[in-house]
Amino acid sequence: MPDTQKLSFHVPDPGLRPGDTPDFSHVKIPQAGSVRRPEIDESPAEMRDLAFSIIRVLNRNGQAVGPWAGSLDTERLIEGLRHMMTLRIFDARMMTAQRQGKTSFYMQHLGEEAVSCAFRLALEPGDMNFPTYRQAGLLIASGYPMTQMMNQIYSNEADPLRGRQLPILYASQEHGFFTVSGNLATQFVQAVGWAMASAISGDSRIAAGWIGDGSTAENDFHAGMVFASTYRAPVVLNIVNNQWAISTFQGIAVGEAGTLAARGHGFGIPALRVDGNDYLAVHAVAKWAVARARRNLGPTVIEYVTYRAGGHSTSDDPAAYRPKEESAAWPLGDPILRLKTHLIEIGAWSEERHVQAEAQIRDEVIAAQKAAESIGTMHSGRQPSPREMFEDVYAEMPAHLIRQRHEVGY
Amino acid sequence: MATEILMPALSPTMEEGTLSKWLVKEGDTVSAGDILAEIETDKATMEFEAVDEGIVGRILVNEGSEGVKVNTPIAVMVEDGESVDDAAQAVETAQTKTPESAPKATAASPAAAAPEPDTSPDWPEGTKLKQQTVREALRDAMAEEMRRDEDVFLMGEEVAEYQGAYKISQGLLDEFSARRVIDTPITEHGFTGLAVGAAFGGLRPIVEFMTFNFAMQAMDQIVNSAAKTLYMSGGQMGAPMVFRGPNGAAARVAAQHSQDFAAWFMQIPGLKVVMPYSASDAKGLLKTAIRDDNPVIFLENEILYGRSFDVPDIDDYTVPFGKARIWREGEDVTIVSFGIGMSYALEAAEILAKDGIDAEVIDLRTLRPMDTATIIKSVQKTNRCVTVEEGWPQGSVGSYISSVLMQEAFDWLDAPVINCTGKDVPLPYAANLEKYALTSTEEVLEAVRKVTYK
């Protein structure tokens, strides 16, 4: 008789749900500065260890330490702090605007500000991001006007997307921000295609694909990795692991073995894991990956280990699916607080300047909001003309759409 | 300026809630972030914050009120120095402002407004013609466009080394190298997404599906990304590209490999859909498709690949979209078809001529845009119409044409329009069943005799 037993079905479980005491002891966090920095042309096979560790620069005392430190000067760091503060205040205002019925929907970045803000500084003009819905820091850090973002969120007459897209699914080719897709993960393989087109054309521009931990289960993620590996596309493949896909913990998408970064190994793509709440580490790793792409060394997978401190969107309440105190227990801290501490530590910042900057940024955000609201919000003010509805279905408007537009009086 | 505070919504689907408690009273000064009230919904209790600083001018809805509709004004905020009466007035003015009135939908205009069809010939009289197969014509079209525009490239499974599963890309790898004729891994969803990204990146990809049956895997990328991104990005980024490959039944390849998707793709705004019959149209339309700034679905047919037709010996021969071709003029009945359906239509017309029925045969060539003007004009002459396609009956191309004729040529019809289509079953394998499941010349003859009452 063979040795058989009754089969049992396994479903990963986060272990902790509302009412439990948060516990992140399973997240192994190496000391800041302890993870090595390989040369950018090192063979992927030689750096497999980097997919199982976490690259960190800022230590507990706010000092920048180790081989990944020093990628940005002080002036740029202060700029970075301002970007993150702007994004946080922007988010808070828009969350409230949604509650007031000025828009139908919003998604905030709380706790994840460093990822997109720091990544943007590693790119050059002309490079293209294919983001998800939680990388507005790419826009803020590239100087995209906040009023434009709000016009889009309010879908008013000045909405650059002309009343056609869900709030926060921004698009700005000029700012290297591809239109956000409401269907998850489609952009990941498109980023690889865009990068491949750049290579076919002999151009110097590179692409960055973005995906969340949950959507790495989509076909597009795997197809993107296959093609990036096959054609050695000049692309940075960013996985933002914020631990939660709405109420589904990351173990459902990834299983309980390995890391998301390690998925790069099967494709022979260098894969790095980085502390997503460490502005300096994010920038240093992004810069390393961007340099590889630009030097024809091909794709890099980066997993940002971070934590979604807020709800997934305005439509869910995290208290219903995870312990309330979990966010405070997250061991990698708050990205803004950490960079602020560092700047104070090196004598480039102070509590007073921080308070001052916060007030100044709040005024800027409020001014932008007033400008957008003076045009209109979801249900009031000036709204997109019905004319907009018929445009851009095709590059040139076909006769039957011109006819339909005339029929409704525009 | 006085501003109204509106009843907030926790989610877009919330319609009303309870204003359970006010934490401020009239005359209170509040700053941004202060909690103004507690709102209760079916889901949760929510603290409602002030966005800006100001003075609570008037509370319009008392605490404890249930069923307060979302967006109802619940309080008025005033600025320093402003009186509550000013506030009330401001609110009144705001409420009497009427929003821009919604456009009124009107019924489609009658046939009188329909544009005149373009009846110009595809090539000038006296042009030298050569015999070419559809396969050669498609290859020539791609080669000519790739010579003309460095941004055009071909990708798909087996397109390079093997020169295409149906040998459409013969010679292209030799001429254009692996940089522009690219063999892909086997994932239609993947390489379609890749090509969509390349199109966004400024190139003009031609994506070959080994057959359109496999394109089903890539529908999300085709419909949700390629077709819609120009629109969604406010006109900033579009996908100029061609998806091509054999579509419809071949022979003995059964249910998963014998499907006509013309009607599926024809439904999607943002796509253009082409389905040629002859070699000259295959060539002229594919060249137009490659130059088009929109995503184009180009539906070929395996059985037609080897058929020969006259092709004009002209440098740079193109055929415009949205222009049907009248293969045969006639007085008694209009037969409308496209792609391989044209074989049945033309064969039927030959037989009918011997019986003294003079059929006009129209090849649509492009399904989106569709040249309905040519169909209507023809039906105004013949007063009868039969459509022919291999696809399934429900929601078919023919049913769309029938509805156009009902709306725009009703007064000219002397008989109901008949749609000859495939049977409403997955295509069986056995030769006899396969033949029966597809439409046929016999069915077209029968339909014509019905509409002409002969």
Side-chain angles (χ1 to χ4, degrees):
Chain A
M1 275 289 281
D3 182 17
T4 58
Q5 63 176 51
K6 199 169 162 190
L7 297 171
S8 64
F9 176 53
H10 174 69
V11 179
D13 185 88
L16 299 169
R17 288 294 188 186
D20 296 331
T21 307
D23 176 14
F24 283 109
S25 58
H26 61 284
V27 183
K28 300 286 171 239
I29 299 178
Q31 272 201 336
S34 66
V35 178
R36 72 192 180 95
R37 183 181 186 280
E39 291 304 315
I40 61 165
D41 56 357
E42 192 170 315
S43 151
E46 301 301 317
M47 52 171 116
R48 297 170 73 90
D49 53 318
L50 295 178
F52 296 97
S53 193
I54 300 179
I55 295 165
R56 306 177 66 228
V57 171
L58 289 174
N59 70 13
R60 237 174 253 263
N61 305 321
Q63 293 151 331
V65 294
W68 293 89
S71 68
L72 286 168
D73 61 27
T74 309
E75 205 179 310
R76 299 278 272 172
L77 287 178
I78 292 174
E79 194 188 331
L81 181 65
R82 285 178 167 279
H83 291 154
M84 291 198 286
M85 291 165 75
T86 306
L87 184 54
R88 187 165 291 181
I89 293 169
F90 183 97
D91 277 346
R93 302 284 307 183
M94 290 298 103
M95 289 293 286
T96 311
Q98 188 274 341
R99 300 296 191 222
Q100 292 171 321
K102 292 174 182 169
T103 181
S104 62
F105 179 76
Y106 192 73
M107 299 176 96
Q108 61 172 335
H109 302 71
L110 195 64
E112 297 177 46
E113 291 89 347
V115 176
S116 54
C117 288
F119 188 87
R120 186 63 183 80
L121 293 203
L123 295 178
E124 295 294 330
D127 294 338
M128 182 61 89
N129 285 287
F130 286 75
T132 79
Y133 41 70
R134 225 184 297 279
Q135 277 91 46
L138 296 169
L139 286 173
I140 298 272
S142 67
Y144 188 71
M146 282 188 282
T147 307
Q148 285 288 75
M149 295 169 74
M150 290 165 175
N151 287 338
Q152 197 280 331
I153 292 164
Y154 292 150
S155 203
N156 63 23
E157 191 185 47
D159 171 8
L161 307 189
R162 309 166 91 174
R164 298 179 190 145
Q165 258 300 34
L166 275 171
I168 71 133
L169 302 191
Y170 314 105
S172 175
Q173 185 165 34
E174 193 191 334
H175 293 81
F177 195 93
F178 180 77
T179 185
V180 182
S181 167
N183 294 46
L184 295 180
T186 52
Q187 71 283 350
F188 206 67
V189 65
Q190 289 165 5
V192 180
W194 194 98
M196 197 179 87
S198 187
I200 290 176
S201 310
D203 209 323
S204 62
R205 302 172 301 162
I206 65 145
W210 294 86
I211 202 163
D213 46 296
S215 1
T216 57
E218 291 275 11
N219 291 349
D220 303 76
F221 171 74
H222 301 274
M225 301 281 264
V226 169
F227 287 99
S229 156
T230 301
Y231 302 118
R232 212 190 283 167
V235 63
V236 182
L237 299 166
N238 297 301
I239 306 168
V240 183
N241 181 358
N242 68 10
Q243 315 300 320
W244 289 96
I246 308 187
S247 73
T248 311
F249 87 114
Q250 57 119 10
I252 294 287
V254 74
E256 285 144 319
T259 65
L260 285 166
R263 307 218 151 170
H265 288 167
F267 299 92
I269 302 176
L272 282 65
R273 242 170 140 232
V274 59
D275 177 346
N277 291 16
D278 179 340
Y279 188 92
L280 281 77
V282 169
H283 180 265
V285 168
K287 192 177 162 192
W288 187 90
V290 167
R292 284 191 83 253
R294 249 190 250 294
R295 282 199 25 203
N296 271 317
L297 294 164
T300 306
V301 170
I302 305 176
E303 176 185 349
Y304 302 89
V305 182
T306 182
Y307 184 85
R308 193 191 78 213
H312 167 72
S313 74
T314 44
S315 305
D316 65 309
D317 174 9
Y321 50 76
R322 63 187 190 192
K324 253 192 172 152
E325 308 76 18
E326 199 185 79
S327 158
W330 175 243
L332 295 174
D334 177 76
I336 295 182
L337 196 62
R338 285 175 69 189
L339 182 55
K340 174 190 160 195
T341 308
H342 170 65
L343 286 168
I344 291 173
E345 166 72 20
I346 61 171
W349 199 244
S350 65
E351 289 291 351
E352 295 72 48
R353 284 184 69 182
H354 195 81
V355 172
Q356 223 172 33
E358 212 163 44
Q360 189 206 342
I361 292 168
R362 177 162 290 114
D363 285 348
E364 285 167 19
V365 177
I366 290 172
Q369 189 175 3
K370 285 199 165 142
E373 291 182 5
S374 73
I375 299 166
T377 61
M378 181 168 62
H379 292 300
S380 69
R382 305 205 304 274
Q383 292 173 355
S385 162
R387 194 186 168 84
E388 303 285 9
M389 186 166 82
F390 299 97
E391 280 168 12
D392 301 322
V393 180
Y394 294 97
E396 275 176 33
M397 195 183 295
H400 76 279
L401 287 184
I402 296 176
R403 208 156 48 236
Q404 282 186 6
R405 199 187 72 198
H406 288 167
E407 277 166 15
V408 294
Y410 288 87
Chain B
M1 203 187 88
T3 41
E4 287 177 341
I5 304 290
L6 305 178
M7 179 69 175
L10 180 61
S11 70
T13 48
M14 172 179 156
E15 287 174 2
E16 56 178 44
T18 302
L19 204 167
S20 38
K21 193 175 176 191
W22 276 108
L23 299 168
V24 292
K25 55 184 190 305
E26 289 180 3
D28 280 2
T29 302
V30 297
S31 43
D34 286 357
I35 313 290
L36 297 178
E38 282 176 15
I39 309 289
E40 242 178 71
T41 72
D42 49 346
K43 284 181 187 162
T45 302
M46 186 172 83
E47 289 177 335
F48 181 46
E49 296 170 5
V51 197
D52 292 316
E53 54 183 17
I55 299 161
V56 182
R58 184 158 290 171
I59 285 175
L60 304 170
V61 175
N62 293 328
E63 64 181 28
S65 305
E66 289 178 16
V68 182
K69 299 271 183 243
V70 165
N71 287 330
T72 311
I74 54 172
V76 180
M77 300 287 289
V78 293
E79 281 173 15
D80 212 8
E82 221 176 6
S83 79
V84 175
D85 291 335
D86 293 343
Q89 207 177 354
V91 169
E92 223 167 85
T93 323
Q95 283 167 343
T96 50
K97 249 194 291 178
T98 45
E100 191 179 354
S101 59
K104 283 194 188 73
T106 53
S109 353
E116 272 297 299
D118 173 2
T119 53
S120 60
D122 283 345
W123 54 77
E125 215 175 314
T127 301
K128 201 175 144 221
L129 302 172
K130 60 180 177 188
Q131 281 275 304
Q132 219 181 9
T133 60
V134 170
R135 173 179 287 114
E136 291 161 345
L138 291 167
R139 191 264 326 275
D140 285 358
M142 286 194 283
E144 285 177 24
E145 290 307 297
M146 288 174 79
R147 281 176 212 131
R148 183 178 167 271
D149 183 350
E150 186 63 23
D151 288 342
V152 178
F153 73 99
L154 172 68
M155 63 185 296
E157 294 154 2
E158 307 286 346
V159 298
E161 284 301 326
Y162 194 69
Q163 318 214 43
Y166 296 99
K167 301 287 177 247
I168 306 300
S169 50
Q170 268 182 21
L172 295 185
L173 176 64
D174 279 350
E175 183 175 350
F176 300 103
S177 87
R179 188 175 71 92
R180 295 179 69 195
V181 183
I182 302 169
D183 276 331
T184 65
I186 306 171
T187 157
E188 282 74 14
H189 181 72
F191 67 72
T192 300
L194 190 83
V196 170
F200 294 147
L203 298 186
R204 291 181 170 267
I206 306 171
V207 174
E208 176 174 309
F209 290 119
M210 194 178 281
T211 90
F212 259 92
N213 298 286
F214 309 153
M216 295 302 96
Q217 222 204 60
M219 281 307 246
D220 180 51
Q221 285 286 351
I222 297 173
V223 176
N224 276 317
S225 288
K228 291 178 189 160
T229 300
L230 180 70
Y231 192 73
M232 296 190 304
S233 68
Q236 294 180 75
M237 289 167 270
M241 62 195 304
V242 178
F243 301 96
R244 50 154 290 272
N247 166 70
R252 278 357 72 70
V253 287
Q256 291 177 312
H257 290 87
S258 314
Q259 305 170 82
D260 174 8
F261 295 108
W264 279 43
F265 289 112
M266 186 183 82
Q267 240 256 321
I268 311 297
L271 294 180
K272 294 189 179 181
V273 184
V274 183
M275 191 153 159
Y277 165 58
S278 73
S280 63
D281 286 343
K283 183 174 182 187
L285 289 166
L286 184 53
K287 282 166 67 78
T288 301
I290 294 168
R291 291 180 200 182
D292 200 283
D293 285 333
N294 302 283
V296 179
I297 304 287
F298 196 92
L299 303 167
E300 301 159 7
N301 185 284
E302 189 188 330
I303 291 167
L304 292 178
Y305 279 150
R307 292 221 189 137
S308 292
F309 294 84
D310 284 340
V311 177
D313 200 359
I314 301 176
D315 282 346
D316 203 19
Y317 174 68
T318 60
V319 174
F321 286 175
K323 183 184 171 207
R325 173 173 173 186
I326 301 176
W327 279 74
R328 189 187 168 110
E329 290 190 14
E331 300 292 327
D332 299 332
V333 60
T334 301
I335 306 177
V336 185
S337 189
F338 50 92
I340 196 164
M342 283 298 296
S343 329
Y344 310 124
L346 288 171
E347 195 184 10
E350 290 285 325
I351 297 167
L352 290 165
K354 287 176 198 144
D355 297 348
I357 298 175
D358 188 14
E360 178 145 306
V361 182
I362 296 172
D363 178 358
L364 287 174
R365 305 198 287 195
T366 59
L367 302 174
R368 179 182 264 273
M370 188 186 284
D371 183 2
T372 50
T374 292
I375 307 173
I376 292 166
K377 184 141 196 216
S378 175
V379 169
Q380 286 172 344
K381 174 174 67 174
T382 64
N383 312 114
R384 295 158 165 88
C385 183
V386 169
T387 67
V388 188
E389 70 196 289
E390 275 195 347
W392 293 300
Q394 188 166 344
S396 64
V397 177
S399 53
Y400 175 68
I401 294 170
S402 308
S403 110
V404 169
L405 290 174
M406 284 282 283
Q407 290 173 49
E408 305 196 22
F410 185 72
D411 291 344
W412 281 275
L413 284 171
D414 284 348
V417 178
I418 294 182
N419 304 141
C420 297
T421 65
K423 306 297 173 294
D424 204 9
V425 297
L427 199 79
Y429 171 81
N432 65 326
L433 300 182
E434 181 187 82
K435 191 167 186 313
Y436 182 67
L438 295 169
T439 192
S440 62
T441 304
E442 291 69 41
E443 283 185 1
V444 179
L445 291 171
E446 196 187 325
V448 168
R449 290 189 179 117
K450 237 183 211 169
V451 298
T452 53
Y453 306 111
K454 286 188 178 162

